[in-house]
Amino acid sequence: MYRSEEVGSSEHKGVSNRELCRRFLDAYHPDRLDDLLALLHPEIEWATTETWVERGVWHGHAEVRSGLRRFFSEWEDFSNDEVEAFSDGVDKFAVVTRMRGRSRRTHIPTQMRTSGVFEVRDELIVRIVGHSDPADALAAVAKSAAPASPAETEPASDRS
């Protein structure tokens, strides 16, 4: 899991895709929306998938904030920072995570795999496309990436 102390301010100079991913996942919590938005380009486009309760595309910080507030309001004890796989490309990366939470309405614990492709511009995330199939997300980046080292594409649990 990524630790929140690694999330800095909106300082992004020279940040690797892996570090940007770490910062994103650390800030992906209901009480950290400002930190999350600091990692997103002002022209962010975030496309959710059929795995989300609310499907659609959010444009800009205001829509992302509103959409995530609605999403987070459905959960208690939420986390989505356990990385199962990561694939790095030149201007994008893919990540597969394990999301856990409890429905605020039913109090039923839930967990699921989530995945997405993150495009980067000006060292900020400019586009996020959620994928219901993690293999599709990883393949989307692998097609555009230069040959990566084995450490870039192996499951996170296999690395020390």
Side-chain angles (χ1 to χ4, degrees):
M1 288 196 328
Y2 294 140
R3 302 280 180 234
S4 60
E5 64 268 10
E6 295 181 33
V7 175
S9 64
S10 59
E11 196 175 299
H12 303 287
K13 187 93 173 135
V15 174
S16 70
N17 286 344
R18 185 176 296 280
E19 180 63 18
L20 187 56
C21 177
R22 174 176 290 129
R23 290 177 182 188
F24 177 88
L25 293 173
D26 284 342
Y28 191 74
H29 293 279
D31 60 344
R32 307 261 336 264
L33 287 179
D34 288 337
D35 295 332
L36 182 73
L37 292 173
L39 302 171
L40 305 180
H41 195 282
E43 297 173 8
I44 181 70
E45 177 183 296
W46 188 328
T48 59
T49 66
E50 65 274 9
T51 60
W52 280 57
V53 174
E54 178 183 302
R55 296 177 199 133
V57 179
W58 302 328
H59 295 94
H61 286 186
E63 286 186 17
V64 168
R65 181 185 298 276
S66 177
L68 286 177
R69 279 185 175 156
R70 283 191 306 275
F71 173 74
F72 287 136
S73 73
E74 299 292 323
W75 299 98
E76 53 188 33
D77 301 324
F78 177 86
S79 70
N80 190 30
D81 56 0
E82 182 181 332
V83 175
E84 292 186 1
F86 178 86
S87 181
D88 198 347
V90 175
D91 61 352
K92 64 176 72 173
F93 61 88
V95 65
V96 179
T97 62
R98 177 71 55 185
M99 184 185 87
R100 291 181 169 84
R102 184 180 354 265
S103 168
R104 196 171 297 281
R105 283 183 281 167
T106 66
H107 303 288
I108 296 173
T110 303
Q111 70 172 325
M112 65 183 281
R113 293 173 86 197
T114 65
S115 58
V117 173
F118 295 68
E119 293 181 22
V120 179
R121 181 175 10 140
D122 302 328
E123 298 180 344
L124 296 171
I125 298 165
V126 70
R127 187 164 190 251
I128 302 171
V129 178
H131 287 261
S132 56
D133 184 344
D136 290 343
L138 296 170
V141 171
K143 287 179 192 174
S144 69
S149 70
E152 293 300 310
T153 57
E154 67 188 24
S157 60
D158 291 349
R159 292 188 305 270
S160 39

